Amino acid sequence: MIRKLSFWWRYLTAQVPWDTGITPPEITSLVEQEKLPPGHAVDLGCGTGTNAIYLALHGWHVVGIDYISQPIHLARRKAHRAGVEDRTRFLVADLTQLREIELGGTFDLAIDIGCAHSLPPAKLPGYARSLAGIVRPGGILMLYMFRRAARRPIGLEPAEVEALFYPGFQLVWSHCGLDQQAGAESAWYRFARVAQG
C-alpha cells in the first residue's frame, strides 16, 4: 500500500523521471528492424501509454495495465489524440493478480519495462508464472529490470531473472547496462515463451 501511495504521489506531482515519452530501442528494433508482424501485445506497468501507443501506431492491438489510475487516464487521452483508441485498451489492475484480469486472450508480445523490479520480491514467482499463462507459445517477453545493488533494495541479477522465468520462458539474449536516469545498473532481457509438452 505504501508503494502504491508513493507512485500515486509521484504521478500527482509529476515526479516521474522514468516516463520519458520515448520508446526504447529494444522495442523499436523488434518492430522496425526485425519487422515483427503486428499482433496482440500487453504492456505491463504501462504508465502513460508511450509504448502501447507506439505499438498501436504500428498496427498492434495492445492492452496496457497499470495499478495507478492517473497514468491510465493520461494514456487513454494520449491514445485518443494519436487516433489509436480502437487498438488500445488501458486497465487499472494489480499485475500480481494477472489471472484475475479479463485480458481477452493470449499475447504475441509482452513488455515489462521496469514493472517487475517494482513488485514485492515474494510476488515475483507468481508474476512470472502468470505471465507464462498469457503469452502464447513462441511469443516474446521483453523485460527491463534493475540489477541488485547495495544501496538499492530492488532488482535481480541476470542469472536470477533467467531462473525466475524458467521453465515457461527461455532466455534468448540479455545485455547489461547503466540506467543513467536512475543511476542504477540494469539489464534488458528477451525471452521466448516455451511450448509446454
Side-chain angles (χ1 to χ4, degrees):
M1 185 62 172
I2 292 172
R3 189 173 294 197
K4 185 172 184 177
L5 287 173
S6 171
F7 278 107
W8 178 85
W9 178 253
R10 292 189 76 168
Y11 273 107
L12 187 68
T13 58
Q15 296 177 49
V16 285
W18 59 84
D19 190 3
T20 64
I22 300 168
T23 296
E26 289 79 5
I27 303 301
T28 61
S29 68
L30 281 177
V31 174
E32 297 175 35
Q33 276 77 53
E34 289 189 39
K35 308 291 186 190
L36 188 66
H40 290 86
V42 61
D43 184 357
L44 303 145
C46 67
T48 61
T50 297
N51 303 305
I53 292 166
Y54 168 82
L55 290 170
L57 287 168
H58 287 83
W60 289 77
H61 291 269
V62 190
V63 175
I65 308 169
D66 208 295
Y67 78 147
I68 307 293
S69 60
Q70 296 99 315
I72 290 294
H73 294 312
L74 290 170
R76 289 173 180 152
R77 285 204 295 267
K78 285 168 61 176
H80 177 74
R81 285 196 303 269
V84 293
E85 65 266 48
D86 60 330
R87 290 194 300 277
T88 54
R89 184 163 63 108
F90 292 101
L91 306 173
V92 178
D94 182 349
L95 289 169
T96 66
Q97 303 293 323
L98 276 175
R99 293 182 179 140
E100 319 289 315
I101 307 169
E102 180 48 56
L103 296 172
T106 58
F107 297 93
D108 306 292
L109 173 65
I111 60 174
D112 174 336
I113 304 174
C115 176
H117 67 218
S118 297
L119 298 176
K123 299 280 190 177
L124 284 173
Y127 175 67
R129 284 191 301 274
S130 62
L131 267 182
I134 66 168
V135 177
R136 67 162 180 79
I140 296 169
L141 167 62
M142 295 296 294
L143 175 71
Y144 174 81
M145 284 187 77
F146 289 153
R147 295 175 62 197
R148 184 176 289 115
R151 70 186 188 286
R152 185 180 294 276
I154 59 176
L156 295 174
E157 287 302 299
E160 295 173 301
V161 174
E162 185 175 5
L164 177 68
F165 285 92
Y166 180 84
F169 292 93
Q170 179 178 6
L171 183 65
V172 176
W173 57 253
S174 67
H175 67 264
C176 296
L178 179 66
D179 186 315
Q180 300 286 349
Q181 187 74 36
E185 291 184 358
S186 59
W188 271 97
Y189 306 86
R190 177 174 176 168
F191 287 96
R193 176 70 173 96
V194 177
Q196 299 298 302

